[in-house]
Amino acid sequence: MALTIGVDVGGTKIASGVVDDDGRILERCLRQTPADNPEKVAVTIADVVSELAGRHEIEAVGVGAAGFVDEARSHVRFAPNLAWREEPLQEKVSELVGLPVVVENDANAMAWGEYRFGAGRGETHVVCVTVGTGIGGGAVFGGELYRGRWGMGAEWGHMQVIPDGRPCGCGHRGCWEKYASGSSLLIDARASAEADPSSAVHLLELAGSVDVLRGEHVTEAARNGDRAALDAFDSLAQWLAQGLADLAAILDPGRYIIGGGVSAAADLFMDKVRVAYAERLTGRGHRPLAEIRVAELGPSAGLVGAADLARQR
């Protein structure tokens, strides 16, 4: 049985695990991310790999990185939440651990994991959308991970949906992720609560103040019938559906997979997404409807996908 290690590097945590060829995680390891120091990040990745490799026979390592990864799957060109700028991560980690290393964008790794072992199984054309603080993405077409010419494709979250709209961390305005993500959910709920506190009684009881409103407050309030919270989820659903319909016009996938932290509240918005998607689809009524499913692997998808990409190298 071939074993590989998957490493999912986020802004706060480095999660790693030993993964078999059926996508099962045999052992896990977790470290804090030294986000402000690229050298320490590489050393921390090497430490967790070495610890796991000391107890298992490992053939390769896959690293999922939250940033732009080059076409050779070796350098992280830019990462918004880590101090990576043209970082030769593959070379550094490989030299430290003595194993082949593949580096991939974390959302691409998540998409591959879901395609191979999760909600994408059985479908040849899969588009993944990760809905968290922002929106990430990945796609598999005909059994191949789509990366683009320079390895930076599938950044759906930065499609401009409203010219001169809300400012985005990418430096532009009006990006899709500013209207269909966890951060937009907070923006909309906060605006409703400030405009009409009577619509957000439960929401304000949970948070105490709109200034400290968090995603879990909006979710709990929505499940208790709070109108401001429900309206925020409805807005997210409409914007998410519009983006999926636009992607269908370009990519024509057979299945969408919705992952990320916000997908944990899928019961509050996914049915609305499916209805609105069907209404907004170009050529509706004259083309098949893609399935829209919730990701199955949860927070482990990126780790499992990175490990399998290392195996497929």
Side-chain angles (χ1 to χ4, degrees):
M1 178 173 59
L3 299 180
T4 53
I5 290 175
V7 184
D8 189 4
V9 184
T12 59
K13 292 182 175 60
I14 295 174
S16 62
V18 177
V19 181
D20 70 12
D21 48 14
D22 291 321
R24 293 175 297 195
I25 300 173
L26 306 183
E27 185 180 353
R28 298 175 185 265
C29 191
L30 187 68
R31 295 281 195 282
Q32 297 300 308
T33 305
D36 60 346
N37 189 316
E39 295 298 328
K40 288 184 178 178
V41 172
V43 169
T44 304
I45 293 171
D47 284 346
V48 297
V49 168
S50 297
E51 180 179 332
L52 293 170
R55 294 188 288 272
H56 303 270
E57 187 173 345
I58 303 300
E59 67 172 35
V61 178
V63 179
F68 289 151
V69 177
D70 72 351
E71 64 271 29
R73 290 176 170 169
S74 62
H75 286 62
V76 183
R77 296 210 176 276
F78 171 77
N81 298 311
L82 293 159
W84 281 331
R85 303 293 185 270
E86 303 299 333
E87 175 69 10
L89 188 62
Q90 184 270 339
E91 180 182 356
K92 285 184 177 180
V93 176
S94 185
E95 287 182 352
L96 288 168
V97 302
L99 289 166
V101 174
V102 171
V103 179
E104 185 54 87
N105 170 268
D106 60 342
N108 283 351
M110 173 266 181
W112 185 258
E114 287 289 341
Y115 163 74
R116 288 274 288 142
F117 307 109
R121 285 172 298 182
E123 174 54 58
T124 58
H125 290 67
V126 174
V127 166
C128 288
V129 179
T130 59
V131 185
T133 302
I135 287 180
V140 179
F141 300 133
E144 296 290 334
L145 181 66
Y146 175 75
R147 306 186 72 251
R149 170 61 180 85
W150 292 286
M152 301 175 191
E155 291 289 345
W156 328 127
H158 297 290
M159 299 186 298
Q160 188 183 55
V161 296
I162 295 186
D164 299 319
R166 293 171 178 170
C168 181
C170 73
H172 295 292
R173 303 180 71 94
C175 292
W176 187 30
E177 71 173 38
K178 301 311 297 182
Y179 299 89
S181 66
S183 60
S184 71
L185 191 72
L186 290 175
I187 290 170
D188 292 337
R190 187 177 292 118
S192 293
E194 289 176 335
D196 181 9
S198 67
S199 72
V201 173
H202 191 63
L203 190 61
L204 293 172
E205 285 177 352
L206 288 169
S209 165
V210 293
D211 297 328
V212 294
L213 194 64
R214 299 195 304 272
E216 54 263 37
H217 296 144
V218 183
T219 299
E220 183 176 343
R223 290 196 170 122
N224 282 280
D226 189 278
R227 182 156 52 88
L230 288 169
D231 286 348
F233 270 107
D234 184 64
S235 177
L236 180 144
Q238 300 304 312
W239 276 110
L240 188 55
Q242 182 63 62
L244 297 184
D246 291 343
L247 287 174
I250 303 166
L251 300 173
D252 191 31
R255 187 175 301 162
Y256 290 101
I257 299 171
I258 309 301
V262 177
S263 69
D267 58 300
L268 292 169
F269 66 91
M270 283 296 293
D271 286 344
K272 292 180 179 179
V273 170
R274 294 183 180 102
V275 170
Y277 168 77
E279 292 172 347
R280 298 177 186 196
L281 189 63
T282 302
R284 63 183 182 182
H286 301 282
R287 62 186 294 169
L289 278 177
E291 294 180 277
I292 304 175
R293 295 188 181 182
V294 179
E296 294 178 4
L297 301 183
S300 298
L303 185 162
V304 170
D308 196 62
L309 287 168
R311 182 177 292 108
Q312 304 282 339
R313 72 193 186 284

